[in-house]
Amino acid sequence: MRPSPEFLDALRDDGFCFVAADTMQAWLEDQGALEDWAAFRDSWNDLAPDRYLEKLGKQRRRRHAVYSLCSRGPAAGAAVRQAHQPHFQSLDYNALQGDIERWFEPILPAIGDSQSLHAILRHCQSLFGSLAPCVARWHVEVHQFRIEAQVDTPGQPTPEGMHRDGVDYVLVLLVDRENIARGTTSIHDMQGREVGAFTLTRPFDAALVDDARVFHGVTPVEAIDPALPSHRDVLVVTLRDAERTA
């Protein structure tokens, strides 16, 4: 099952769209088997604390990897993992932690090479490549995020607030959600007006974002039952034309 024109039209016309879990899962399965999805999902239990946010009194767990993703010819969709490198955003895009080379723990090799992740990357190339056919190769950053809500402290999926990432396109894919309330994604246009809002509640629910055209952010998350563990696990994939400087 490939994306229907309505989703491509929404991205072109509005700069974003929400994709329900059943649809997104079908899109990914069209790109390859998801037989290792359970192991892929469970790898969120082994993320490292975000030590940069710890300095600010905020908590988040994450891992990071960079890929080169071919968008043309017989190798289209082939993703090659690159040497581990820092995640960098300028202050123009991240007022909280901009102009800092942030070194996160790498995504584990078995997860970085997994069927599930490579199906996701092939899907990103197919979908976003159809919107930008002039791009020959994408610089791709993959982020595993776990946001935990503490007893008296909501979790902050986007502690930098409403923002852009400084890339071309963004996929936010919900992997798991346990004992969590709120966490609504909101989309704002370049004038700051809200143009969309939705909540990722089921595994495979996803947001697709044209980063050049809209801002996005997520409201804090709270534990439904403060006595039990709670988390919101997402995979964020960003794509930038490899010929364009960051």
Side-chain angles (χ1 to χ4, degrees):
M1 177 181 176
R2 296 185 180 276
S4 60
E6 66 183 284
F7 293 100
L8 297 176
D9 289 344
L11 277 167
R12 291 191 186 99
D13 296 342
D14 303 325
F16 75 97
C17 68
F18 165 77
V19 184
D22 293 345
T23 298
M24 176 56 71
Q25 184 173 355
W27 288 357
L28 297 181
E29 289 174 341
D30 187 63
Q31 296 293 337
L34 302 179
E35 295 174 356
D36 59 4
W37 181 263
F40 182 72
R41 177 199 63 215
D42 291 347
S43 70
W44 266 255
N45 295 323
D46 192 25
L47 303 190
D50 182 338
R51 56 191 176 89
Y52 298 94
L53 277 180
E54 284 182 330
K55 298 175 183 176
L56 301 173
K58 301 177 186 295
Q59 294 184 324
R60 177 164 63 181
R61 296 180 181 275
R62 67 191 295 176
R63 288 184 182 271
H64 173 245
V66 176
Y67 291 80
S68 177
L69 180 60
C70 181
S71 195
R72 290 183 184 170
V80 178
R81 188 165 183 174
Q82 304 299 288
H84 194 52
Q85 55 195 267
H87 175 55
F88 180 86
Q89 292 172 299
S90 72
L91 281 170
D92 292 335
Y93 294 105
N94 189 330
L96 183 65
Q97 295 183 305
D99 288 351
I100 301 171
E101 286 193 346
R102 288 180 287 164
W103 288 89
F104 300 111
E105 291 298 312
I107 290 176
L108 297 173
I111 303 306
D113 293 337
S114 65
Q115 292 176 323
S116 293
L117 181 57
H118 278 266
I120 292 166
L121 295 177
R122 284 192 295 272
H123 169 69
C124 286
Q125 181 279 318
S126 176
L127 175 69
F128 297 127
S130 68
L131 298 171
C134 61
V135 175
R137 186 171 296 276
W138 297 102
H139 173 86
V140 178
E141 295 195 46
V142 179
H143 307 261
Q144 291 180 285
F145 286 104
R146 167 166 285 185
I147 308 301
E148 298 169 323
Q150 307 299 319
V151 173
D152 298 316
T153 307
Q156 301 284 343
T158 53
E160 66 272 43
M162 196 63 56
H163 68 284
R164 293 162 59 213
D165 288 330
V167 297
D168 292 308
Y169 296 103
V170 182
L171 163 70
V172 182
L173 178 69
L174 185 70
V175 174
D176 193 31
R177 182 180 170 113
E178 181 178 344
N179 189 35
I180 283 290
R182 302 181 65 196
T184 296
T185 298
S186 61
I187 307 292
H188 290 234
D189 65 17
M190 301 303 286
Q191 289 72 47
R193 297 171 299 200
E194 183 176 301
V195 293
F198 47 84
T199 304
L200 308 182
T201 59
R202 295 191 297 159
F204 294 102
D205 275 353
L208 307 176
V209 177
D210 182 338
D211 192 62
R213 297 179 53 205
V214 296
F215 292 82
H216 64 280
V218 183
T219 62
V221 296
E222 300 175 349
I224 297 171
D225 184 344
L228 297 175
S230 60
H231 61 254
R232 178 183 185 266
D233 295 347
V234 300
L235 183 78
V236 175
V237 182
T238 68
L239 289 82
R240 171 173 55 82
D241 183 350
E243 297 298 317
R244 179 169 71 86
T245 57

